[in-house]
Amino acid sequence: MAINSKTPIIIAGPCSAESYEQVIATAKALSECTKITAFRSGVWKPRSRPGTFEGAGDVALQWLKEVKAKYNFPIAIEVATPEHVETALKNDIDILWIGARTTSNPFSVQELASALKGANCQVMVKNPVNPDLELWIGAIERVMKAGCMDVTAIHRGFYPYEQTPYRNIPKWEIPIELKTRFPEIPIICDPSHIAGERALVAEVSQYALNLNFDGLIIESHIDPDKALSDARQQLTPENLIKLLRSLEFRTDQEEVSISQLENLRHQIDSIDSQILELLSQRMNATMKIGRYKSKHNIAAFQLKRWKNIIRSRIETGSTLGLDPEFVKKMLQSVHKESIRVQNEVMKKSKH
Ligand code: PEP
Ligand code: MN
């Protein structure tokens, strides 16, 4: 059985293969759901710090072979080195994916692409850790140039340099732009690594389906709280199956394919929510400034500072192609609100 983009691609399985029992029990439970089209599992895990669980390694490939034989699932694993590719291909792995950290490094991607030459397998390319669409496209192109034309992109979100409700910020406008430029490349969403929390996986999954993604790759573990990696975001097979039942899938993708206008609107929605998050952070900083000023008896409005803000923001704005009058009006409105908030803070600290 191969995955294809005519029916939704649903890949499920644990973050890491940890033991024979964990892999088989998870696969058995997931095999109850016909929506699931492939089984995922990390065999070699890229971890931030050494000394943490780095995957069970080669022995896990035997467990996965058993999953394939018993439950008829195509098997997907992550590869990060040419040796991984070679070992995976020798062990009949059906789908190889390139992880976010690897996609970030064109040297590594090229080494993987060279190792993939002549292999007739499906390859999935996760987005790089940074929101760099060209780097993502570059990795896909390297794999295709090696002759692997069956490529699927995985959107797993981007490292958040600011606070967000998610582990990785989705920046939906980036996968939308990928889809716009390469409509023939299927793209699936990894809501587990975006959400980082099991309670948020459903909303991210539905959002991706609303954007007409071709499917999902979701982490599931037979006993998530005891998982050796990504424990917080993994779902029990039972909860994953419930989640899949609750999602609204688009039934007739070709006829109802999203128009360009809708795509652009979704880009705007995603950007607006990022603007609002940043504005809320700005207001929090404003409140702290208000408290400081109040304590030290400094006036809320400071002409010199305000003039500096206007001048520097207009300058930055014009390098970004923004009209100076627009930047000025927007800042006046934000500044007015900042002064109001500081005034409130000062009133409160007086009583
Ligand atoms: C994973 O899928 O478990 C994984 C390591 O993901 P990413 O490369 O997106 O961090
Ligand atoms: Mn994981």
Side-chain angles (χ1 to χ4, degrees):
M1 185 170 64
I3 59 169
N4 67 67
S5 59
K6 290 283 174 254
T7 52
I9 301 165
I10 305 290
I11 303 174
C15 177
S16 311
E18 298 167 4
S19 69
Y20 173 80
E21 291 72 24
Q22 170 249 5
V23 168
I24 299 296
T26 308
K28 182 172 191 279
L30 291 174
S31 71
E32 301 289 317
C33 178
T34 52
K35 283 199 171 98
I36 298 170
T37 45
F39 187 81
R40 65 147 282 159
S41 179
V43 168
W44 307 285
K45 296 303 293 181
R47 305 304 301 279
S48 303
R49 306 278 302 269
T52 48
F53 175 67
E54 289 182 329
D58 294 17
V59 63
L61 296 166
Q62 302 312 314
W63 313 335
L64 295 172
K65 261 190 194 158
E66 196 169 317
V67 168
K68 184 169 167 167
K70 267 198 175 142
Y71 304 109
N72 200 26
F73 279 133
I75 305 293
I77 68 168
E78 174 175 354
V79 287
T81 67
E83 295 75 42
H84 292 165
V85 173
E86 201 186 311
T87 312
L89 294 175
K90 260 195 225 144
N91 283 278
D92 297 327
I93 297 295
D94 307 273
I95 307 160
L96 309 187
W97 89 75
I98 300 179
R101 288 160 201 79
T102 310
T103 308
S104 305
N105 180 353
F107 285 112
S108 303
V109 174
Q110 191 51 54
E111 283 183 7
L112 294 183
S114 304
L116 280 164
K117 262 207 177 99
N120 188 24
C121 63
Q122 288 185 277
V123 180
M124 304 195 294
V125 181
K126 287 201 170 195
N127 65 253
V129 175
N130 294 332
D132 184 341
L133 178 59
E134 298 308 315
L135 201 52
W136 195 3
I137 293 173
I140 293 170
E141 284 172 341
R142 285 176 200 276
V143 171
M144 284 183 155
K145 276 199 169 150
C148 298
M149 303 313 282
D150 200 348
V151 178
T152 296
I154 304 178
H155 170 234
R156 50 79 80 196
F158 304 92
Y159 183 80
Y161 292 100
E162 65 252 24
Q163 243 191 329
T164 74
Y166 299 134
R167 177 179 174 190
N168 286 294
I169 190 164
K171 286 190 171 287
W172 296 103
E173 67 278 10
I174 292 183
I176 287 172
E177 179 65 20
L178 179 69
K179 192 73 190 166
T180 309
R181 281 166 62 180
F182 299 91
E184 69 292 350
I185 297 179
I187 174 161
I188 66 174
C189 178
D190 173 348
S192 307
H193 288 87
I194 291 176
E197 277 293 334
R198 64 185 69 114
L200 301 175
V201 173
E203 67 179 50
V204 177
S205 304
Q206 189 60 60
Y207 201 95
L209 294 178
N210 293 348
L211 294 186
N212 216 7
F213 272 59
D214 298 287
L216 303 166
I217 175 166
I218 307 185
E219 288 187 341
S220 175
H221 188 291
I222 196 68
D223 191 357
D225 288 332
K226 298 221 175 82
L228 300 179
S229 59
D230 290 348
R232 292 165 72 102
Q233 70 197 31
Q234 300 205 59
L235 298 160
T236 59
E238 194 189 343
N239 284 338
L240 173 62
I241 293 170
K242 267 193 212 145
L243 183 152
L244 290 175
R245 279 205 203 105
S246 74
L247 293 174
E248 306 271 0
F249 285 88
R250 289 176 179 275
T251 49
D252 199 349
Q253 285 183 334
E254 271 151 277
E255 274 162 42
V256 292
S257 81
I258 282 193
S259 72
Q260 214 171 350
L261 177 62
E262 255 180 287
N263 270 344
L264 290 168
R265 284 187 173 145
H266 283 303
Q267 291 195 32
I268 297 278
D269 291 347
S270 169
I271 294 167
D272 280 353
S273 83
Q274 290 169 63
I275 292 175
L276 290 175
E277 266 168 28
L278 288 173
L279 276 175
S280 142
Q281 282 174 41
R282 196 186 194 281
M283 283 309 160
N284 281 337
T286 295
M287 266 187 239
K288 286 187 194 140
I289 290 180
R291 266 180 236 126
Y292 182 90
K293 284 180 177 166
S294 176
K295 196 167 153 202
H296 296 88
N297 226 5
I298 301 170
F301 178 68
Q302 297 289 327
L303 182 63
K304 209 166 122 200
R305 166 74 176 151
W306 171 233
K307 277 186 168 166
N308 254 331
I309 289 186
I310 289 278
R311 187 193 39 76
S312 65
R313 294 348 179 226
I314 286 180
E315 238 173 65
T316 310
S318 61
T319 64
L320 296 168
L322 293 170
D323 178 65
E325 218 20 63
F326 165 68
V327 173
K328 192 172 163 190
K329 273 198 217 131
M330 187 200 65
L331 272 169
Q332 278 169 333
S333 156
V334 172
H335 188 246
K336 192 174 155 199
E337 177 63 5
S338 290
I339 296 285
R340 188 192 68 76
V341 165
Q342 288 190 22
N343 222 21
E344 288 300 310
V345 171
M346 286 176 168
K347 254 199 298 192
K348 274 194 200 121
S349 47
K350 220 178 130 191
H351 300 304

